[in-house]
Coordinates of all heavy atoms in Angstrom, one line a residue:
M1 N 60.0 0.6 18.4 CA 59.7 1.6 17.4 C 59.9 3.0 17.9 O 59.5 3.3 19.0 CB 58.2 1.4 16.9 CG 57.8 2.4 15.8 SD 56.1 2.2 15.3 CE 56.2 0.7 14.4
D2 N 60.5 3.8 17.2 CA 60.8 5.2 17.6 C 59.5 6.0 17.5 O 58.7 6.0 16.6 CB 61.8 5.8 16.6 CG 62.2 7.2 17.0 OD1 61.6 7.8 17.9 OD2 63.2 7.7 16.3
S3 N 59.2 6.8 18.7 CA 58.0 7.6 18.7 C 58.0 8.7 17.7 O 57.0 9.3 17.5 CB 57.7 8.1 20.1 OG 58.8 8.9 20.5
Q4 N 59.1 9.1 17.2 CA 59.3 10.2 16.3 C 59.0 9.7 14.8 O 58.9 10.5 13.9 CB 60.7 10.8 16.3 CG 61.0 11.4 17.7 CD 60.0 12.5 18.1 OE1 59.7 13.3 17.3 NE2 59.5 12.4 19.3
T5 N 59.0 8.4 14.6 CA 58.7 7.8 13.3 C 57.3 8.1 12.9 O 56.4 7.7 13.6 CB 59.0 6.4 13.2 OG1 60.3 6.1 13.7 CG2 58.7 5.8 11.8
P6 N 57.0 8.8 11.8 CA 55.6 9.1 11.4 C 54.9 7.8 11.0 O 55.5 7.0 10.3 CB 55.8 10.1 10.2 CG 57.2 10.0 9.8 CD 58.0 9.4 10.9
Q7 N 53.7 7.7 11.5 CA 52.9 6.6 11.1 C 52.1 6.9 9.9 O 51.6 8.0 9.6 CB 51.9 6.3 12.3 CG 52.6 5.9 13.6 CD 53.4 4.6 13.5 OE1 52.9 3.6 13.0 NE2 54.7 4.6 13.9
P8 N 51.8 5.9 9.0 CA 51.0 6.1 7.9 C 49.6 6.4 8.3 O 49.1 5.9 9.4 CB 51.1 4.7 7.1 CG 51.5 3.8 8.1 CD 52.3 4.5 9.2
P9 N 48.8 7.1 7.6 CA 47.4 7.4 7.9 C 46.6 6.2 7.9 O 46.9 5.2 7.1 CB 47.0 8.5 6.9 CG 47.9 8.3 5.8 CD 49.2 7.8 6.3
I10 N 45.5 6.2 8.7 CA 44.5 5.1 8.7 C 43.7 5.4 7.5 O 43.1 6.4 7.3 CB 43.7 5.2 10.1 CG1 44.6 4.9 11.2 CG2 42.5 4.2 9.9 CD1 43.9 5.1 12.6
T11 N 43.5 4.3 6.7 CA 42.7 4.4 5.5 C 41.3 4.0 5.7 O 41.1 3.1 6.5 CB 43.3 3.6 4.3 OG1 43.4 2.2 4.7 CG2 44.7 4.2 3.9
L12 N 40.4 4.7 5.2 CA 38.9 4.5 5.5 C 38.1 4.5 4.2 O 38.4 5.2 3.2 CB 38.4 5.6 6.3 CG 39.0 5.9 7.7 CD1 39.7 7.2 7.7 CD2 38.0 5.9 8.7
I13 N 37.1 3.7 4.2 CA 36.0 3.8 3.2 C 34.7 4.2 4.0 O 34.4 3.7 5.0 CB 35.7 2.5 2.5 CG1 36.9 2.1 1.6 CG2 34.4 2.5 1.7 CD1 36.8 0.8 0.9
L14 N 34.0 5.2 3.4 CA 32.7 5.7 4.0 C 31.6 5.0 3.2 O 31.5 5.2 1.9 CB 32.6 7.2 3.8 CG 33.9 8.0 4.3 CD1 33.6 9.5 4.1 CD2 34.1 7.7 5.8
A15 N 30.7 4.4 3.8 CA 29.6 3.8 3.2 C 28.2 4.3 3.8 O 27.9 3.9 4.9 CB 29.6 2.2 3.2
D16 N 27.6 5.1 3.1 CA 26.4 5.7 3.6 C 25.6 6.2 2.4 O 26.2 6.7 1.4 CB 26.6 6.9 4.5 CG 25.4 7.4 5.3 OD1 24.5 8.0 4.6 OD2 25.3 7.2 6.4
D17 N 24.3 6.1 2.4 CA 23.5 6.5 1.2 C 23.2 7.9 1.1 O 22.5 8.4 0.2 CB 22.2 5.7 1.2 CG 21.3 5.8 2.4 OD1 21.9 5.9 3.5 OD2 20.1 5.7 2.2
H18 N 23.6 8.7 2.1 CA 23.4 10.1 2.1 C 24.7 10.9 1.7 O 25.6 11.0 2.5 CB 22.9 10.6 3.5 CG 21.6 10.1 3.9 ND1 21.6 8.9 4.7 CD2 20.4 10.4 3.6 CE1 20.3 8.6 4.9 NE2 19.6 9.5 4.2
P19 N 24.7 11.4 0.5 CA 25.9 12.1 -0.1 C 26.4 13.3 0.8 O 27.6 13.5 0.9 CB 25.6 12.6 -1.4 CG 24.2 12.1 -1.7 CD 23.6 11.4 -0.6
L20 N 25.5 14.1 1.3 CA 25.9 15.2 2.2 C 26.6 14.8 3.4 O 27.5 15.4 3.9 CB 24.7 16.1 2.5 CG 24.1 16.9 1.3 CD1 22.9 17.7 1.8 CD2 25.1 17.8 0.8
F21 N 26.1 13.7 4.0 CA 26.7 13.1 5.2 C 28.1 12.6 4.9 O 29.1 12.9 5.7 CB 25.9 12.0 5.8 CG 26.5 11.4 7.0 CD1 26.5 12.1 8.3 CD2 27.1 10.1 7.0 CE1 27.1 11.5 9.4 CE2 27.7 9.6 8.1 CZ 27.7 10.3 9.3
R22 N 28.2 11.9 3.8 CA 29.6 11.4 3.4 C 30.6 12.5 3.2 O 31.7 12.5 3.6 CB 29.5 10.5 2.1 CG 28.9 9.2 2.3 CD 29.1 8.2 1.2 NE 29.0 8.8 -0.2 CZ 27.9 8.8 -0.9 NH1 26.8 8.3 -0.5 NH2 27.9 9.4 -2.1
E23 N 30.1 13.6 2.5 CA 30.9 14.7 2.2 C 31.4 15.4 3.5 O 32.6 15.7 3.7 CB 30.2 15.8 1.3 CG 31.0 17.0 1.0 CD 30.3 17.9 0.1 OE1 29.2 17.6 -0.4 OE2 30.6 19.1 0.1
A24 N 30.4 15.6 4.5 CA 30.8 16.2 5.8 C 31.7 15.3 6.5 O 32.8 15.8 7.1 CB 29.5 16.5 6.5
L25 N 31.6 14.0 6.5 CA 32.4 13.1 7.2 C 33.8 13.1 6.6 O 34.8 13.1 7.3 CB 31.8 11.7 7.3 CG 32.4 10.7 8.2 CD1 32.5 11.3 9.6 CD2 31.6 9.4 8.2
R26 N 33.8 13.1 5.3 CA 35.1 13.1 4.6 C 35.9 14.3 4.9 O 37.1 14.3 5.2 CB 34.9 13.0 3.1 CG 36.3 13.2 2.3 CD 36.0 13.3 0.8 NE 35.8 12.0 0.2 CZ 36.8 11.3 -0.3 NH1 38.0 11.6 -0.1 NH2 36.5 10.1 -0.9
T27 N 35.2 15.5 4.9 CA 35.9 16.8 5.2 C 36.4 16.8 6.7 O 37.6 17.2 6.9 CB 34.9 18.0 5.0 OG1 34.4 18.0 3.7 CG2 35.5 19.3 5.4
L28 N 35.7 16.3 7.6 CA 36.1 16.2 9.0 C 37.3 15.3 9.1 O 38.4 15.6 9.7 CB 35.0 15.7 9.8 CG 35.3 15.5 11.4 CD1 35.5 16.8 12.0 CD2 34.2 14.7 12.0
L29 N 37.3 14.1 8.6 CA 38.4 13.2 8.7 C 39.6 13.6 7.9 O 40.7 13.4 8.4 CB 37.9 11.8 8.1 CG 36.9 11.0 9.0 CD1 36.3 9.9 8.2 CD2 37.4 10.6 10.3
E30 N 39.5 14.2 6.8 CA 40.6 14.6 6.0 C 41.4 15.8 6.6 O 42.4 16.2 6.2 CB 40.2 14.8 4.6 CG 40.0 13.4 3.9 CD 39.8 13.5 2.4 OE1 39.5 14.6 1.9 OE2 40.0 12.5 1.7
G31 N 40.6 16.5 7.6 CA 41.2 17.6 8.3 C 42.3 17.1 9.3 O 43.1 17.9 9.9
D32 N 42.4 15.8 9.5 CA 43.3 15.1 10.4 C 44.3 14.4 9.6 O 43.9 13.4 8.9 CB 42.6 14.2 11.4 CG 43.4 13.7 12.5 OD1 44.6 13.3 12.2 OD2 43.0 13.5 13.6
P33 N 45.6 14.7 9.7 CA 46.6 14.0 8.9 C 46.7 12.4 9.2 O 47.3 11.7 8.5 CB 47.9 14.6 9.2 CG 47.7 15.3 10.5 CD 46.2 15.7 10.6
G34 N 46.1 12.0 10.3 CA 46.1 10.6 10.7 C 45.1 9.8 9.9 O 45.1 8.6 10.1
F35 N 44.2 10.4 9.1 CA 43.2 9.7 8.3 C 43.3 10.0 6.9 O 43.6 11.1 6.5 CB 41.8 10.0 8.8 CG 41.5 9.7 10.2 CD1 41.4 10.6 11.2 CD2 41.4 8.3 10.6 CE1 41.2 10.3 12.5 CE2 41.1 8.0 12.0 CZ 41.1 9.0 12.9
R36 N 43.0 9.0 6.0 CA 42.9 9.2 4.6 C 41.7 8.4 4.0 O 41.7 7.2 4.2 CB 44.1 8.8 3.9 CG 44.1 9.1 2.4 CD 45.5 8.9 1.8 NE 46.1 7.7 2.1 CZ 46.1 6.6 1.2 NH1 45.5 6.7 0.0 NH2 46.7 5.5 1.6
V37 N 40.7 9.1 3.5 CA 39.5 8.5 3.0 C 39.9 8.0 1.5 O 40.3 8.8 0.7 CB 38.3 9.4 2.9 CG1 37.1 8.8 2.2 CG2 37.9 9.9 4.3
V38 N 39.8 6.7 1.3 CA 40.2 6.2 0.1 C 39.0 5.8 -0.9 O 39.2 5.4 -2.0 CB 41.2 4.9 0.2 CG1 42.5 5.3 0.9 CG2 40.5 3.8 1.0
G39 N 37.9 5.8 -0.3 CA 36.7 5.5 -1.2 C 35.4 5.8 -0.5 O 35.3 5.9 0.8
E40 N 34.3 5.9 -1.3 CA 32.9 6.1 -0.7 C 32.0 5.2 -1.5 O 32.1 4.9 -2.7 CB 32.5 7.6 -1.0 CG 33.3 8.6 -0.2 CD 32.8 10.0 -0.4 OE1 31.6 10.2 -0.7 OE2 33.6 10.9 -0.2
A41 N 31.0 4.7 -0.8 CA 30.0 3.8 -1.3 C 28.6 4.4 -0.9 O 28.5 4.8 0.2 CB 30.2 2.4 -0.8
S42 N 27.6 4.2 -1.7 CA 26.3 4.6 -1.4 C 25.4 3.4 -1.1 O 24.2 3.6 -0.7 CB 25.6 5.4 -2.6 OG 25.6 4.6 -3.7
D43 N 25.9 2.2 -1.1 CA 25.1 1.0 -0.7 C 26.1 -0.1 -0.3 O 27.3 0.0 -0.5 CB 24.2 0.5 -1.8 CG 24.8 0.1 -3.1 OD1 25.6 -0.8 -3.0 OD2 24.5 0.7 -4.2
G44 N 25.6 -1.2 0.3 CA 26.4 -2.2 0.8 C 27.1 -3.0 -0.3 O 28.3 -3.4 -0.1
R45 N 26.5 -3.2 -1.4 CA 27.1 -4.0 -2.5 C 28.4 -3.2 -3.0 O 29.5 -3.8 -3.2 CB 26.2 -4.1 -3.7 CG 26.8 -5.0 -4.8 CD 25.8 -5.2 -5.9 NE 24.6 -5.9 -5.4 CZ 23.4 -5.7 -6.0 NH1 23.2 -4.9 -7.0 NH2 22.3 -6.3 -5.5
E46 N 28.3 -1.9 -3.1 CA 29.4 -1.0 -3.6 C 30.5 -1.0 -2.5 O 31.7 -1.0 -2.8 CB 28.9 0.4 -3.8 CG 29.9 1.3 -4.5 CD 29.4 2.6 -4.8 OE1 28.2 2.9 -4.5 OE2 30.2 3.5 -5.3
A47 N 30.1 -1.0 -1.2 CA 31.0 -1.0 -0.1 C 31.9 -2.3 -0.1 O 33.1 -2.3 0.0 CB 30.3 -0.9 1.2
I48 N 31.2 -3.4 -0.4 CA 32.0 -4.7 -0.5 C 33.0 -4.7 -1.6 O 34.2 -5.1 -1.5 CB 31.0 -5.9 -0.6 CG1 30.3 -6.1 0.7 CG2 31.8 -7.2 -1.0 CD1 29.1 -7.1 0.6
K49 N 32.5 -4.2 -2.8 CA 33.5 -4.1 -3.9 C 34.7 -3.2 -3.6 O 35.8 -3.6 -3.9 CB 32.7 -3.5 -5.1 CG 33.5 -3.3 -6.4 CD 32.6 -2.7 -7.5 CE 33.3 -2.4 -8.7 NZ 34.1 -1.2 -8.7
L50 N 34.4 -2.0 -2.9 CA 35.5 -1.1 -2.7 C 36.5 -1.8 -1.6 O 37.7 -1.6 -1.6 CB 35.0 0.2 -2.1 CG 34.4 1.0 -3.2 CD1 33.8 2.3 -2.6 CD2 35.4 1.4 -4.3
V51 N 35.9 -2.4 -0.6 CA 36.8 -3.1 0.4 C 37.7 -4.1 -0.2 O 38.9 -4.2 0.1 CB 35.9 -3.7 1.6 CG1 36.7 -4.6 2.4 CG2 35.3 -2.6 2.4
R52 N 37.1 -4.9 -1.1 CA 37.9 -5.9 -1.8 C 39.0 -5.3 -2.6 O 40.2 -5.8 -2.7 CB 37.0 -6.8 -2.6 CG 36.1 -7.7 -1.8 CD 35.1 -8.5 -2.6 NE 35.9 -9.6 -3.2 CZ 35.3 -10.4 -4.1 NH1 34.1 -10.3 -4.4 NH2 36.1 -11.4 -4.5
E53 N 38.7 -4.2 -3.3 CA 39.7 -3.6 -4.2 C 40.7 -2.7 -3.4 O 41.9 -2.8 -3.7 CB 38.9 -2.7 -5.2 CG 38.1 -3.3 -6.2 CD 37.3 -2.4 -7.1 OE1 37.5 -1.2 -6.9 OE2 36.5 -2.9 -7.9
L54 N 40.3 -2.0 -2.5 CA 41.2 -0.9 -1.9 C 41.8 -1.4 -0.6 O 42.8 -0.7 -0.1 CB 40.4 0.4 -1.6 CG 39.7 0.9 -2.9 CD1 38.9 2.2 -2.6 CD2 40.9 1.3 -3.9
R55 N 41.3 -2.4 0.1 CA 41.8 -2.9 1.4 C 42.0 -1.8 2.4 O 43.2 -1.7 2.9 CB 43.1 -3.7 1.1 CG 43.0 -4.8 0.1 CD 42.2 -6.0 0.7 NE 42.0 -7.1 -0.3 CZ 41.8 -8.3 0.0 NH1 41.8 -8.7 1.2 NH2 41.6 -9.1 -1.0
P56 N 41.0 -1.1 2.8 CA 41.2 0.0 3.8 C 41.4 -0.7 5.2 O 41.1 -1.9 5.4 CB 39.9 0.7 3.8 CG 38.9 -0.4 3.4 CD 39.6 -1.3 2.4
D57 N 41.9 0.1 6.1 CA 42.0 -0.3 7.5 C 40.6 -0.3 8.2 O 40.4 -1.2 9.0 CB 42.9 0.7 8.3 CG 44.3 0.8 7.7 OD1 44.9 -0.3 7.4 OD2 44.8 1.9 7.5
V58 N 39.8 0.6 7.8 CA 38.5 0.8 8.5 C 37.4 1.1 7.5 O 37.6 1.8 6.5 CB 38.5 2.0 9.5 CG1 37.2 2.3 10.1 CG2 39.6 1.8 10.6
L59 N 36.2 0.5 7.7 CA 35.0 0.7 6.9 C 34.0 1.4 7.9 O 33.7 0.8 8.9 CB 34.4 -0.5 6.4 CG 33.0 -0.4 5.8 CD1 33.0 0.5 4.5 CD2 32.5 -1.9 5.4
L60 N 33.6 2.6 7.6 CA 32.5 3.2 8.3 C 31.2 3.0 7.6 O 31.0 3.4 6.4 CB 32.7 4.8 8.4 CG 33.9 5.2 9.2 CD1 34.1 6.7 9.1 CD2 33.9 4.7 10.6
L61 N 30.3 2.1 8.1 CA 29.3 1.5 7.4 C 27.9 1.9 8.1 O 27.7 1.6 9.2 CB 29.4 0.0 7.5 CG 28.4 -0.9 6.9 CD1 28.4 -0.7 5.4 CD2 28.7 -2.4 7.2
D62 N 27.0 2.5 7.2 CA 25.7 2.9 7.6 C 24.9 1.6 7.8 O 25.0 0.6 7.1 CB 25.0 3.8 6.6 CG 23.7 4.3 7.1 OD1 23.4 4.3 8.2 OD2 23.0 4.9 6.2
L63 N 24.0 1.6 8.9 CA 23.3 0.4 9.2 C 22.1 0.2 8.1 O 21.9 -0.9 7.8 CB 22.7 0.6 10.6 CG 21.9 -0.6 11.2 CD1 22.9 -1.8 11.3 CD2 21.4 -0.2 12.5
V64 N 21.5 1.3 7.7 CA 20.3 1.2 6.8 C 20.7 1.9 5.5 O 20.9 3.1 5.4 CB 19.1 1.8 7.4 CG1 17.9 1.8 6.5 CG2 18.7 1.1 8.7
M65 N 20.8 1.1 4.4 CA 21.1 1.6 3.1 C 20.4 0.8 2.1 O 19.9 -0.4 2.4 CB 22.6 1.4 2.8 CG 23.6 2.3 3.6 SD 25.3 2.1 3.0 CE 25.6 0.4 3.4
P66 N 20.1 1.3 0.9 CA 19.5 0.6 -0.2 C 20.4 -0.6 -0.7 O 21.6 -0.6 -0.4 CB 19.2 1.6 -1.2 CG 20.3 2.6 -1.0 CD 20.5 2.7 0.4
V67 N 19.8 -1.4 -1.5 CA 20.4 -2.6 -2.2 C 20.8 -3.6 -1.1 O 20.4 -4.8 -1.2 CB 21.6 -2.1 -3.0 CG1 22.2 -3.4 -3.8 CG2 21.2 -1.1 -4.1
K68 N 21.8 -3.3 -0.3 CA 22.3 -4.2 0.8 C 22.5 -3.4 2.0 O 23.4 -2.5 2.0 CB 23.5 -4.9 0.3 CG 24.0 -6.0 1.2 CD 25.3 -6.7 0.7 CE 24.9 -7.5 -0.5 NZ 25.3 -8.9 -0.4
G69 N 21.8 -3.7 3.1 CA 22.0 -3.0 4.3 C 23.3 -3.3 5.1 O 24.0 -4.2 4.7
G70 N 23.5 -2.6 6.1 CA 24.8 -2.7 6.9 C 25.0 -4.0 7.5 O 26.1 -4.5 7.4
L71 N 24.0 -4.5 8.1 CA 24.2 -5.8 8.8 C 24.5 -7.0 7.8 O 25.4 -7.8 8.0 CB 23.0 -6.3 9.7 CG 22.9 -5.4 10.9 CD1 21.6 -5.8 11.7 CD2 24.1 -5.4 11.8
E72 N 23.8 -7.0 6.7 CA 24.0 -8.0 5.6 C 25.4 -7.8 5.0 O 26.1 -8.8 4.8 CB 22.9 -7.8 4.5 CG 23.0 -8.9 3.5 CD 22.0 -8.8 2.4 OE1 21.1 -7.9 2.5 OE2 22.0 -9.6 1.4
T73 N 25.8 -6.5 4.8 CA 27.1 -6.2 4.3 C 28.2 -6.7 5.2 O 29.2 -7.3 4.8 CB 27.2 -4.7 4.1 OG1 26.3 -4.3 3.1 CG2 28.6 -4.3 3.6
L74 N 28.0 -6.5 6.5 CA 28.9 -6.9 7.5 C 29.1 -8.4 7.6 O 30.2 -9.0 7.6 CB 28.5 -6.4 8.9 CG 29.5 -6.6 10.1 CD1 30.8 -5.9 9.8 CD2 28.9 -5.9 11.3
R75 N 27.9 -9.1 7.5 CA 28.0 -10.6 7.4 C 28.7 -11.1 6.2 O 29.6 -12.0 6.3 CB 26.6 -11.2 7.4 CG 25.9 -11.3 8.7 CD 24.7 -12.1 8.7 NE 23.6 -11.5 7.9 CZ 22.7 -10.7 8.4 NH1 22.7 -10.4 9.7 NH2 21.7 -10.1 7.7
D76 N 28.5 -10.5 5.0 CA 29.3 -10.9 3.8 C 30.7 -10.6 3.9 O 31.5 -11.5 3.6 CB 28.6 -10.1 2.6 CG 27.3 -10.6 2.2 OD1 26.8 -11.6 2.8 OD2 26.7 -10.0 1.3
L77 N 31.1 -9.5 4.5 CA 32.5 -9.2 4.6 C 33.2 -10.2 5.6 O 34.3 -10.6 5.4 CB 32.7 -7.7 5.1 CG 32.4 -6.7 4.1 CD1 32.4 -5.2 4.8 CD2 33.5 -6.7 3.0
S78 N 32.5 -10.5 6.7 CA 33.0 -11.5 7.7 C 33.2 -12.8 7.0 O 34.3 -13.5 7.2 CB 32.0 -11.6 8.8 OG 32.5 -12.5 9.8
A79 N 32.3 -13.2 6.1 CA 32.4 -14.5 5.5 C 33.6 -14.5 4.5 O 34.2 -15.6 4.2 CB 31.1 -14.9 4.8
M80 N 33.9 -13.4 4.0 CA 35.0 -13.2 3.0 C 36.4 -13.2 3.7 O 37.5 -13.2 3.1 CB 34.9 -12.0 2.1 CG 33.7 -12.1 1.2 SD 33.6 -10.5 0.3 CE 31.9 -10.6 -0.2
A81 N 36.4 -13.0 5.1 CA 37.6 -12.9 5.9 C 38.5 -11.8 5.4 O 39.7 -11.9 5.4 CB 38.3 -14.2 6.0
L82 N 37.9 -10.6 5.0 CA 38.7 -9.5 4.6 C 39.2 -8.8 5.9 O 38.4 -8.5 6.8 CB 37.8 -8.5 3.8 CG 37.4 -9.1 2.4 CD1 36.4 -8.2 1.7 CD2 38.7 -9.3 1.5
P83 N 40.4 -8.4 5.9 CA 41.0 -7.7 7.1 C 40.6 -6.3 7.3 O 41.4 -5.3 7.1 CB 42.5 -7.9 6.9 CG 42.7 -7.8 5.5 CD 41.4 -8.5 4.9
V84 N 39.4 -6.0 7.5 CA 38.9 -4.6 7.7 C 38.2 -4.4 9.0 O 37.4 -5.3 9.3 CB 38.0 -4.1 6.5 CG1 36.8 -5.0 6.4 CG2 37.7 -2.6 6.6
R85 N 38.5 -3.4 9.7 CA 37.7 -3.1 10.9 C 36.5 -2.3 10.6 O 36.6 -1.4 9.6 CB 38.5 -2.3 11.9 CG 39.7 -3.1 12.5 CD 40.5 -2.3 13.4 NE 41.6 -3.1 14.0 CZ 42.8 -3.1 13.5 NH1 43.1 -2.5 12.4 NH2 43.7 -3.9 14.1
T86 N 35.3 -2.6 11.1 CA 34.2 -2.0 10.7 C 33.5 -1.2 11.9 O 33.3 -1.8 12.9 CB 33.2 -3.0 10.1 OG1 33.7 -3.6 9.0 CG2 31.9 -2.3 9.5
L87 N 33.0 0.0 11.6 CA 32.3 0.7 12.6 C 30.9 1.0 11.9 O 30.8 1.5 10.9 CB 32.9 2.1 12.9 CG 34.2 2.1 13.6 CD1 34.8 3.5 13.7 CD2 34.2 1.4 15.0
L88 N 29.8 0.6 12.7 CA 28.5 0.7 12.1 C 28.0 2.1 12.6 O 28.1 2.5 13.7 CB 27.5 -0.4 12.7 CG 27.6 -1.7 12.0 CD1 26.7 -2.7 12.7 CD2 27.2 -1.6 10.6
L89 N 27.4 2.8 11.6 CA 26.7 4.1 11.9 C 25.3 4.0 12.0 O 24.7 3.3 11.1 CB 27.1 5.1 10.8 CG 28.6 5.2 10.5 CD1 28.8 6.1 9.2 CD2 29.3 5.9 11.7
A90 N 24.6 4.5 13.0 CA 23.1 4.4 13.1 C 22.5 5.7 13.5 O 23.0 6.3 14.5 CB 22.8 3.3 14.1
A91 N 21.5 6.1 12.8 CA 20.8 7.4 13.2 C 19.8 7.0 14.3 O 19.5 5.8 14.5 CB 20.0 7.9 12.0
E92 N 19.3 7.9 15.0 CA 18.3 7.7 16.1 C 17.2 6.8 15.7 O 16.7 5.9 16.3 CB 17.8 9.0 16.7 CG 17.1 8.8 18.0 CD 17.9 8.3 19.1 OE1 19.2 8.5 19.2 OE2 17.3 7.7 20.0
R93 N 16.6 7.1 14.5 CA 15.4 6.4 13.9 C 15.8 4.9 13.7 O 15.0 4.1 13.9 CB 14.9 7.1 12.7 CG 15.8 7.1 11.5 CD 15.2 7.8 10.4 NE 16.2 8.1 9.3 CZ 16.6 7.2 8.5 NH1 16.0 6.0 8.4 NH2 17.5 7.4 7.6
E94 N 17.0 4.7 13.3 CA 17.4 3.3 13.0 C 17.6 2.5 14.3 O 17.2 1.4 14.3 CB 18.8 3.3 12.3 CG 18.6 3.8 10.8 CD 19.9 4.3 10.2 OE1 20.9 4.3 10.9 OE2 19.9 4.7 9.0
K95 N 18.1 3.2 15.3 CA 18.2 2.5 16.6 C 16.8 2.2 17.1 O 16.6 1.1 17.7 CB 18.9 3.4 17.6 CG 20.4 3.5 17.4 CD 21.1 4.5 18.2 CE 20.6 4.9 19.6 NZ 21.4 5.8 20.3
F96 N 15.8 3.1 16.9 CA 14.4 2.8 17.4 C 13.9 1.6 16.6 O 13.3 0.7 17.2 CB 13.6 4.0 17.1 CG 12.1 3.8 17.4 CD1 11.7 3.8 18.8 CD2 11.2 3.6 16.4 CE1 10.3 3.6 19.0 CE2 9.9 3.4 16.7 CZ 9.5 3.4 18.0
R97 N 14.1 1.5 15.3 CA 13.6 0.4 14.5 C 14.2 -0.9 15.0 O 13.5 -2.0 14.9 CB 13.9 0.6 13.0 CG 13.0 1.6 12.4 CD 13.3 1.8 10.9 NE 13.8 0.6 10.3 CZ 14.3 0.7 9.1 NH1 14.4 1.8 8.4 NH2 14.9 -0.4 8.5
L98 N 15.4 -0.9 15.5 CA 16.0 -2.1 16.0 C 15.7 -2.5 17.4 O 16.1 -3.5 17.9 CB 17.6 -2.0 15.7 CG 18.0 -2.0 14.3 CD1 19.5 -1.7 14.3 CD2 17.7 -3.3 13.6
G99 N 15.1 -1.5 18.1 CA 14.8 -1.8 19.5 C 16.0 -1.6 20.4 O 16.0 -2.2 21.4
I100 N 16.9 -0.7 20.0 CA 18.1 -0.4 20.9 C 17.8 0.7 21.8 O 17.4 1.8 21.4 CB 19.3 -0.1 19.9 CG1 19.6 -1.3 19.0 CG2 20.5 0.2 20.8 CD1 20.7 -1.0 17.9
D101 N 18.0 0.5 23.1 CA 17.8 1.5 24.0 C 18.9 2.4 24.1 O 20.1 2.1 23.7 CB 17.6 0.9 25.5 CG 16.3 0.1 25.6 OD1 15.4 0.5 24.9 OD2 16.3 -0.8 26.4
R102 N 18.7 3.6 24.6 CA 19.7 4.7 24.6 C 20.7 4.3 25.7 O 20.7 3.7 26.6 CB 19.1 6.1 25.0 CG 18.3 6.5 23.9 CD 17.7 7.9 24.3 NE 16.7 8.2 23.4 CZ 16.5 9.4 22.9 NH1 17.2 10.4 23.3 NH2 15.5 9.7 22.1

């Protein structure tokens, strides 16, 4: 492959129940031509629906959300064998609740 051949941007879905965080993350990512945000979800159920419809390369998934949390969403996506890479997002308070050390 020629190193001069432009690569298509990595497509992402942002799943977080905080609209201001999603907006800031979208702004940051869209400032880089290597990324394209194709959808946003405020809960796990919506995230699954968007992943099925839009087939992004990456899902940025909040660990704690209403309706369906991040781990349950991740399990459901795994069972569906959808080809999406997932990065879990966790705030410090969420890590504490799960007993994750720094």
Side-chain angles (χ1 to χ4, degrees):
M1 183 182 287
D2 185 352
S3 63
Q4 300 299 317
T5 304
Q7 298 296 311
I10 295 169
T11 58
L12 302 112
I13 289 177
L14 310 178
D16 192 288
D17 58 325
H18 297 95
L20 289 176
F21 179 74
R22 287 195 319 266
E23 181 181 342
L25 192 54
R26 175 187 278 274
T27 300
L28 178 70
L29 291 167
E30 289 186 339
D32 185 323
F35 298 108
R36 183 167 52 99
V37 177
V38 294
E40 295 184 26
S42 59
D43 62 59
R45 187 178 302 149
E46 189 177 358
I48 291 170
K49 178 180 179 282
L50 289 176
V51 167
R52 291 176 76 183
E53 290 174 5
L54 303 174
R55 304 291 176 152
D57 299 313
V58 176
L59 169 63
L60 295 176
L61 180 63
D62 187 15
L63 188 60
V64 178
M65 291 186 295
V67 182
K68 185 179 289 235
L71 291 178
E72 185 180 358
T73 299
L74 188 57
R75 276 192 293 272
D76 289 354
L77 287 170
S78 180
M80 293 176 202
L82 294 171
V84 62
R85 291 178 179 93
T86 304
L87 297 173
L88 283 176
L89 306 172
E92 190 67 26
R93 64 183 168 80
E94 293 162 353
K95 288 175 22 180
F96 176 75
R97 283 181 28 193
L98 292 172
I100 299 172
D101 292 331
R102 293 181 193 217

